[in-house]
Amino acid sequence: YAKVMDKSFLQTVISNHPELLTGEALQISYSKEMTSEVSSKSYQIQFETGSAVIKPESYAQLDEILKSAVVAEGLKVGVYGHTDNTGNADANQKLSEDRANSVKSYLISKGLLTSRIEVKGFGQNQPIADNKTADGKAQNRRVQIVLGE
């Protein structure tokens, strides 16, 4: 089980906020914008090509993100979209924003509070891999989830 399930995201949150283990409901007023990052993880959410429509095979990953957000009740959830550098930079910027908003809509549909979610699109401006290779481009097409305050 430990080899199959990656719990590093949750472990980071718990280590930074052990009060989350008490089981008490936290009364939190979420800031409009996140000012400090507690934990971050990139996900390869699959979308229809050139679209913000989430493919059904990504729902399990989105549900995992939701579980992490529920455990980290006192933290704001940043949903940050990224693209590779294929095509027009302005179109990539809009696509990254649209995809982040699709993830936000999914999380809200599952019960996450709108006030907890911050959405940003970074287009092709923050690659984590070389855009000259197919593998690098695939890594750059991502949704990053950041938990913070």
Side-chain angles (χ1 to χ4, degrees), residues 60-130:
Q61 269 193 311
L62 292 171
D63 290 340
E64 202 57 43
I65 292 167
L66 180 67
K67 288 176 192 173
S68 297
V70 169
V71 168
E73 175 61 33
L75 301 175
K76 194 157 181 84
V77 179
V79 180
Y80 305 146
H82 300 270
T83 66
D84 61 27
N85 67 349
T86 302
N88 177 286
D90 291 336
N92 285 337
Q93 177 63 38
K94 180 169 179 3
L95 182 59
S96 69
E97 292 168 5
D98 291 347
R99 287 179 171 179
N101 276 307
S102 288
V103 170
K104 175 185 176 180
S105 295
Y106 181 87
L107 296 174
I108 290 170
S109 77
K110 296 293 186 170
L112 201 62
L113 296 174
T114 305
S115 61
R116 285 193 63 197
I117 305 172
E118 172 180 282
V119 173
K120 292 182 182 177
F122 293 99
Q124 62 192 38
N125 297 322
Q126 295 183 355
I128 58 171
D130 189 350

